[in-house]
Amino acid sequence: MPFSDFTNPYQNPANIPQKYRQHINLLKLFKADGSYVRPAEDPVTMWALQILVEEYGVPLEAMELELNSDFAEGTYQSGRRYQGRVDIVVYDDRYADSIGNLDVAFIMVEAMEPSKKVGGTEGEGWVDHLNRLNAYMSASPSARYAILTSGKHTVIYRRDLEYPRKLEIIGDLQKYESAREAAKHSFYTVILNPSEPDGIQTGLTPLTRDKFREVLGDTRSGCHSILRDNEGLQPQEAVDAMVKFLFAKWYDEQATIDLVKQTGESRAYVFNVIAVCSSVRYKKNAGMI
């Protein structure tokens, strides 16, 4: 696992490579004079951040540091809540609004002092940081992975998406696949093409009446029939499910096209279709799922 062999290379902030020191997303690490805001923990944050970039392929643009979070830690009378700061949030950059803002958290990282013992119960120790990380994850509907590290010891967790959504220890992360990387091998990608209307090649095929009935209707292989006959949904429930699916599909297409127009970069749709063994299956076009 890349999260090992901690030598505290960035104890002195002057040793941080310029591409990190000067990046707008990392400015919260430093005071005006260039020193760390939190000298004990910030070198660990910087070390973990570089590993995410160099070893897992996470773009710096998909990260945010010191993100304020409103959460409840434990059970308190009167519903008291606390303000905390997530050390690193990694967003899933396939999900962006029409102007490119990211708000779908994917990985959360909690860094602590290297001197703190694993499982230690001292103040601001391992247990406190783990509880805090649990609270951050609970407050986010989308975050799937969590990392707790002191540099000398690192644990990676995956959140169970089913109730009660507990954190489960796993061995390692898979590579992060950004929207830019996904566009290089996706079957359906939006690209700039001056010969197409609006200068955009969408790769989409208009949905005809016959194709609509074949894919979504009451034919044997149609989605409505599958939802009704195989999944046991009532006809109205099957229609409701299909409407939600179609809205998600439409939103994905429109948001992706808008982003390509804005950025000029090719992007893959979030949802894709690939052929496998002469059949067709739907696959979420992503890494680390």
Side-chain angles (χ1 to χ4, degrees), residues 210-228:
D210 289 342
K211 178 59 75 171
F212 182 92
R213 185 169 185 273
E214 174 191 342
V215 175
L216 298 174
D218 283 322
T219 60
R220 186 176 183 84
S221 60
C223 292
H224 186 273
S225 295
I226 292 173
L227 290 170
R228 182 192 61 202

Side-chain angles (χ1 to χ4, degrees), residues 192-212:
L192 295 175
N193 186 341
S195 64
E196 295 289 332
D198 295 329
I200 295 290
Q201 181 176 318
T202 66
L204 300 174
T205 302
L207 187 62
T208 64
R209 182 188 297 270
D210 289 342
K211 178 59 75 171
F212 182 92

Side-chain angles (χ1 to χ4, degrees), residues 171-185:
D172 201 358
L173 295 172
Q174 297 179 29
K175 290 281 188 179
Y176 182 97
E177 184 175 51
S178 67
R180 185 180 293 111
E181 289 300 315
K184 295 178 181 179
H185 58 75

Side-chain angles (χ1 to χ4, degrees), residues 8 17 63 75 80 85 100 117 153 169 173 184 217 245 253 267:
N8 208 355
M63 294 184 179
T75 301
R80 185 179 178 187
R85 296 186 302 177
K117 297 179 180 179
H153 188 78
I169 297 176
L173 295 172
K184 295 178 181 179
F245 167 77
E253 293 168 359
R267 284 184 69 97

Side-chain angles (χ1 to χ4, degrees), residues 71-219:
F71 67 94
E73 190 177 50
T75 301
Y76 296 90
Q77 294 182 348
S78 303
R80 185 179 178 187
R81 300 188 70 83
Y82 291 78
Q83 285 287 339
R85 296 186 302 177
V86 184
D87 291 328
I88 303 175
V89 175
V90 176
Y91 293 103
D92 187 335
D93 76 345
R94 297 167 304 136
Y95 300 93
D97 62 21
S98 59
I99 59 174
N101 292 324
L102 303 178
D103 60 2
V104 178
F106 191 39
I107 305 171
M108 292 189 176
V109 181
E110 178 74 5
M112 56 189 293
E113 298 179 29
S115 62
K116 300 295 184 180
K117 297 179 180 179
V118 177
T121 58
E122 71 273 27
E124 291 298 313
W126 186 271
V127 173
D128 284 344
H129 282 275
L130 179 58
N131 289 340
R132 200 171 298 161
L133 185 58
N134 259 301
Y136 296 151
M137 294 291 287
S138 297
S140 170
S142 60
R144 185 70 191 278
Y145 295 92
I147 301 172
L148 177 57
T149 182
S150 66
K152 294 182 178 179
H153 188 78
T154 300
V155 180
I156 299 176
Y157 303 89
R158 179 177 58 215
R159 183 171 71 172
D160 188 345
L161 296 183
E162 302 296 330
Y163 183 82
R165 296 192 172 189
K166 62 181 180 180
L167 294 182
E168 301 174 337
I169 297 176
I170 59 175
D172 201 358
L173 295 172
Q174 297 179 29
K175 290 281 188 179
Y176 182 97
E177 184 175 51
S178 67
R180 185 180 293 111
E181 289 300 315
K184 295 178 181 179
H185 58 75
S186 172
F187 284 83
Y188 294 91
T189 301
V190 183
I191 62 175
L192 295 175
N193 186 341
S195 64
E196 295 289 332
D198 295 329
I200 295 290
Q201 181 176 318
T202 66
L204 300 174
T205 302
L207 187 62
T208 64
R209 182 188 297 270
D210 289 342
K211 178 59 75 171
F212 182 92
R213 185 169 185 273
E214 174 191 342
V215 175
L216 298 174
D218 283 322
T219 60

